[in-house]
Amino acid sequence: MSAAGTARERYRSQVSEEIKARAREQIATAGISALSLNAIAKHVGMSGPGLYRYFASRDDLITELIRDAYRSLADTMRASLDTGADVTGLAYAVREWAAQDPQRYFLIYGTPVPGYHAPEDTTRISSEIMAVLIEAFSALPVEGQDTAFDAHLASHREWAYDDSVPEATLHRCLSFWTRLHGILSLELAGHFTGMKFDPALLFADELATFHRAAEPGR
């Protein structure tokens, strides 16, 4: 590859990152529905048509932001697990990641963007997040009676990508994930603000309650 080609690619990458940074600022200020390519183009000093050389449409830009968000969370969780975090540690890693940029969190776990359909590769990246959770839960003992949902999962487990994981483990993983996001979504959207309690204490208590309920013999 020529030096000129490398320089052009480096410049294109820098401009693309600047466009995405401006888009994230716009979303943080007014929400995803207010995302405007023309306004972003003005901020980065180019014409509207010039910006379309980097992102062919608003949906293309949204897709890149979603990919970046999923990749960032997947990498955060993988790094946490690889450095010895248990399931509780993963929960706190996700909470810290979400608190750093709530709009990034809502971009992938909030209300779907009207008229937008994410491409399949974003699903692949998001599946890495679940793979980390399944790995963490697979290290824990699972006992007890199978439930109706466990039986249902026996024929609806393609998302797990591992036939050796018991349905009870997958069920526990899903329960954890839905409880985690329920608390985070309410907290980050400000629904606890007027209630005057500490959301961090609620978060810790819910994690402890989840683990107690999942203990064998309970």
Side-chain angles (χ1 to χ4, degrees):
M1 181 179 296
S2 68
T6 301
R8 281 195 299 270
E9 290 177 0
R10 187 162 55 246
Y11 175 75
R12 182 178 181 83
S13 177
Q14 290 172 349
V15 174
S16 295
E17 288 302 318
E18 184 178 359
I19 291 170
K20 288 192 289 185
R22 289 294 182 180
R24 285 189 289 266
E25 290 174 6
Q26 201 176 88
I27 292 171
T29 301
I32 186 66
S33 61
L35 187 65
S36 166
L37 295 190
N38 287 332
I40 293 170
K42 182 178 179 181
H43 274 294
V44 299
M46 64 172 61
S47 65
L51 187 143
Y52 284 96
R53 292 198 298 268
Y54 294 88
F55 296 96
S57 67
R58 177 175 174 269
D59 281 2
D60 282 349
L61 178 54
I62 291 173
T63 294
E64 281 301 305
L65 296 175
I66 289 174
R67 284 186 183 125
D68 288 351
Y70 273 130
R71 171 49 54 206
S72 176
L73 180 56
D75 290 347
T76 295
M77 293 178 65
R78 171 52 63 187
S80 182
L81 187 65
D82 287 348
T83 53
D86 58 8
V87 170
T88 297
L90 282 179
Y92 278 103
V94 173
R95 184 171 187 264
E96 182 179 355
W97 178 89
Q100 288 172 353
D101 189 343
Q103 288 302 325
R104 177 179 58 179
Y105 172 85
F106 285 122
L107 187 62
I108 56 178
Y109 292 115
T111 303
V113 180
Y116 172 78
H117 300 284
E120 288 186 6
D121 69 321
T122 58
T123 302
R124 178 184 56 76
I125 300 171
S126 67
S127 71
E128 294 180 31
I129 294 170
M130 191 57 66
V132 172
L133 281 178
I134 292 172
E135 184 177 338
F137 274 98
S138 294
L140 302 176
V142 176
E143 299 178 13
Q145 204 168 26
D146 289 341
T147 68
F149 187 62
D150 291 338
H152 176 72
L153 279 176
S155 57
H156 296 82
R157 50 175 297 148
E158 295 84 358
W159 53 273
Y161 299 102
D162 187 344
D163 293 338
S164 67
V165 179
E167 280 76 29
T169 296
L170 299 182
H171 186 175
R172 189 176 177 190
C173 181
L174 287 172
S175 296
F176 173 83
W177 197 230
T178 53
R179 183 174 295 195
L180 174 64
H181 284 297
I183 300 172
L184 285 177
S185 295
L186 290 170
E187 178 184 359
L188 295 174
H191 292 296
F192 296 148
T193 302
M195 302 173 78
K196 307 300 183 183
F197 62 76
D198 185 351
L201 293 178
L202 174 64
F203 188 82
D205 192 68
E206 284 296 298
L207 286 176
T209 300
F210 173 85
H211 288 303
R212 284 197 301 270
E215 289 174 2
R218 286 185 176 269

